[in-house]
Amino acid sequence: MATFAAIYLVLVRVLHVNLILSRTTAAGGDMGSHHYVAEFLREHLLPRGKVTGWAPGWFGGIPMLTFYFPLPYTLIAALSPLLGSQVAFKVVTASGLFALPLTCWGAFRVLRLPEPAPILAAAASMPFLFMTSYTIYGGNIASTMAGEFPFAFSFALLPLALALIWRVVEENGRGWRLTTLVVTALVLSHVLTTIVLVLGVTVLLLRPSPRAMGAALGQLARVFGIAFCLAAFWALPFILRIDYTAHFAWTQLPGFGVLFPEEIRPYLVFTLVGVIAAVARAERRVLLYAWPGVVAVAVYALLEQFFPKASLWNARMLPFIYLCALLVAAYGAAVVVARLTALVQRNTGAPVRLVYVAVAMVLVLAPVYGSWRHRGFTPGWARYNYEGFEVKSGWPQARALFDTLRGLPPGRVMWEFNRDYESFGTTRTLENIPVFAGQDTMEGLLIESSLNAPFHFINQAETSQTQTQAVPGLDYPSFDFPTGLRHLRMFGVRYYVAYTDQAKKAAKDAKLPVVSTSGKFVIYEVGDGHLVEVPSYRPVLLDDPDWRGNSLTWYRTAKWLDVQLAYASKGDKDARAAFADPGPLPVRNLPHQALRNPGPVPSRMVGDDQLEFTTDRIGEPHVVKVSYFPNWHVEGAEGPWMLSPGLMVVVPTQAKVRLVYRDTPVDLAGKALTVGAVGALVVPLAAGRIRRRSP
C-alpha cells in the first residue's frame, strides 16, 4: 500500500488531478485537436447506433473512426453524462497513465511471481512514464500530453493481456473469456500494441512436443479468433480498406543508441540479472516480457536497415522495448532482494522479515523517487493541457474568430497555418472549427484517415508562409498562392482565413473579396462553395492501379489541372462511355473534350452522410467535391468513381440524384462477425445458468 500511495501521489501531483476534474477544454499538442472526434462520435454516430461513419468536417470528409481507434472515444461518450464532456475527455486521456502501474502489478500477480516482484513491476513503470528523451513515440507522459492517449490506453493493457494469455495457455483455458475481452479492448485502442501483442505471444508456442504446441496454439486461436470477431465491426473494414488512407513514408531512426536512453540505463543491470535468472531457472513467465522486447528490437532494426522509407516508423517500437526491459528488471530486482536479504541477515543477524522489507522498500521506492526528481517538463506540460484553452492568452482572439466564422453562411474553410496559434492553446487550435464554429475545415487530425490529406498539405504549403509538411515522404512546393487558389477551388473551399501580411497581400492581389475581419485574421471568399459541378472538360478515364501516384503527379502539373482523371476499369461500359480516352499509357498529354454547359449545380447536404442535387445535364459527368470512399453509393446516376485528386464523379441518369454513405458487404460482414462473437461468449454462459437453475 505504501508503494502504491507513493506512485499515485507522484502521478496526482504531476498530472494535476484538480485540473483534470475542472470544466475546461483540454489543449496542447495534438490533444487539443481530438475534440471533433469525441464530439462527432457522441453527438452524431452513437445516437444512430453507429461507431464509425462519414464526418464532413475535415479534409473534404473522412470515414470517421474507420482508421482510428474507437474505444477511448466511446469511453469519453459513456462518461460524459456523468462527468460532462470536458472532464470525461480529460479523465480518459489520463487513464492510460494512471492504469500502467496497476496493470504491471496485476500482470505479475496473474503470473504468480513471488513478492516483491509484482510491486517492483508497478514501480518499474514509473521511470518509463517519466521518460523525457522522447515526446511522441507513445506510452509515456510526454507522448500522452502530445495527444497519443489512445496508444497510452492500449499500452497500459499490454502487460496484463500478456499475463492473462499466459494463464489461458498454461492452465488449459482458465479465464479465457476475460482474457478475450481485455485483448479486444487493446485491439480497439491501438493497432501497434496489437501487432506487438500478437508477435509477443509466439513465445508461448515453444513447447517440448508437437501435441503441447498444438494445444497452446488452440488456446491462442480461441482467444485471438473471438477477440478479432468481437472487434470485426471495426477491424474488418480497417484491414480491407487500408488502401484508402494517406500512406506515410517515414524516415527511420538511424543507429541503435536510442535503444538504451539515459533514463533506463541504471535499471539495465537488473534487466541483465533478470534474464540470466529466468534462463537459469527456466522461468518462462519472465521470458513472456523479454521476448516482445526482443521482437520490437528486431522490427526496429529491420525497418532501419531494409525499409528506410516505410509506412511503419521504427521509432514506434521504442516504448515496447523500454517497458519490457524495465519489467524484466523488476524480476531481476526481486532476485537481488532475495540474495541481499540472505546476505545481510547472515552478516548482521537481523530478523529476516525486517531485512527483507528494508531491502525491498529501497528497491521499490528508488525508481518512484527518481521519477519525481527527474520529472522535468512533464508537470508543466500536463498543467498547460489540462488547465484548458480558456486560460490561454490568445484564446479571446481564437474565440472571436470562431464566432465570426459561425456567423457566416455554411462553407468549407481553409486557414493559413502559423505557429503563433500556440498562444491559443496549440498550433492546431483551428482544427476545432467544426466544434467551435460549426463550419467544415480542410485541415484536421486523423491525417491517415483521409486519402486527400497529402493534397491538403500541398495546398497548405502553397497558401501559408509556414508549412507543417505533416504527410512524410512528399515533395512540398513553396508559397504559391495562385496555384494554391486553383487547388482550393477544386476542393470546393468557400473561405480562406489569412493571418500574415504576405498571405493577405497575396489574397488581395488575387482580387479575393473580403468577407469579414477578426483581430489579425482576414476572411476572404474563395468561391461559391458549391459541392457539385459539371467540369469544363470531360474527365479522362485512367485504368491504372496506382491512382495515388498518378493523382500526385497530376496535381503538381499545372497544365493538367483543367482535365481531371477518373479512376475506373476500361471494362466498365458506363465509365468508358462517360469519360475520355487518355490514349496509350503512360499519359503524356490529356485530351481536352469540352462539355457543352459547364458550371455549378445547386446541391445540399442532408445530415452528415447524404448529398442531393437536381440537374438538367443528364448524361454529363458531374464532379462531387467530397472525398471518395467505397461506402458512397449513388441513386439516379452511374458511379461514383474516384476522381483526381481524391474526389468523386457521377453521371446522372435522371434529374434527381442522391449520394448516400452506407454499409458495404465488408461492413456488414464485420458486424455479423461481432454479433456471432458476442453470441459465442454469452450463449454458453446463459445456457449454463439456466441448467443450474433447472429442477
Side-chain angles (χ1 to χ4, degrees), residues 185-417:
L186 182 148
V187 170
L188 291 173
S189 299
H190 211 282
V191 68
L192 286 175
T193 319
T194 304
I195 293 171
V196 171
L197 176 67
V198 172
L199 295 175
V201 298
T202 57
V203 71
L204 297 175
L205 296 175
L206 300 178
R207 300 282 149 170
S209 69
R211 183 176 180 180
M213 183 183 296
L217 183 60
Q219 296 291 354
L220 291 176
R222 176 167 62 169
V223 168
F224 281 101
I226 296 180
F228 173 79
C229 291
L230 284 173
F233 72 94
W234 170 82
L236 197 64
F238 179 98
I239 295 168
L240 297 181
R241 302 298 193 201
I242 196 71
D243 197 40
Y244 296 98
T245 59
H247 289 189
F248 284 17
W250 293 102
T251 300
Q252 309 294 355
L253 292 183
F256 297 95
V258 292
L259 299 181
F260 309 106
E262 184 177 347
E263 297 101 321
I264 70 167
R265 286 176 192 168
Y267 307 99
L268 293 180
V269 63
F270 293 106
T271 303
L272 183 60
V273 171
V275 170
I276 293 172
V279 171
R281 299 174 178 181
E283 187 57 88
R284 297 172 60 197
R285 292 174 293 180
V286 177
L287 298 180
L288 185 65
Y289 295 101
W291 178 244
V294 171
V295 169
V297 170
V299 173
Y300 174 93
L302 286 171
L303 289 170
E304 192 264 340
Q305 289 294 317
F306 301 107
F307 302 97
K309 295 282 186 179
S311 56
L312 178 60
W313 192 21
N314 65 347
R316 298 306 297 267
M317 293 294 105
L318 295 177
F320 302 102
I321 297 169
Y322 301 153
L323 183 64
C324 287
L326 289 167
L327 288 176
V328 175
Y331 174 75
V335 173
V336 170
V337 167
R339 294 297 178 91
L340 280 179
T341 299
L343 181 64
V344 172
Q345 195 278 333
R346 188 167 57 248
N347 291 334
T348 64
V352 172
R353 183 174 181 81
L354 179 62
V355 174
Y356 171 85
V357 170
V359 173
M361 289 304 293
V362 168
L363 291 181
V364 165
L365 294 178
V368 178
Y369 176 70
S371 299
W372 170 253
R373 283 199 59 198
H374 299 95
R375 59 194 182 276
F377 56 76
T378 54
W381 198 347
R383 172 178 289 280
Y384 185 87
N385 281 19
Y386 289 139
E387 67 186 1
F389 282 111
E390 291 81 357
V391 304
K392 301 298 185 284
S393 61
W395 181 244
Q397 185 180 4
R399 181 78 263 178
L401 175 63
F402 293 141
D403 291 342
T404 302
L405 289 171
R406 184 178 291 278
L408 298 178
R412 286 183 186 154
V413 180
M414 177 71 185
W415 41 275
E416 182 188 9
F417 178 82

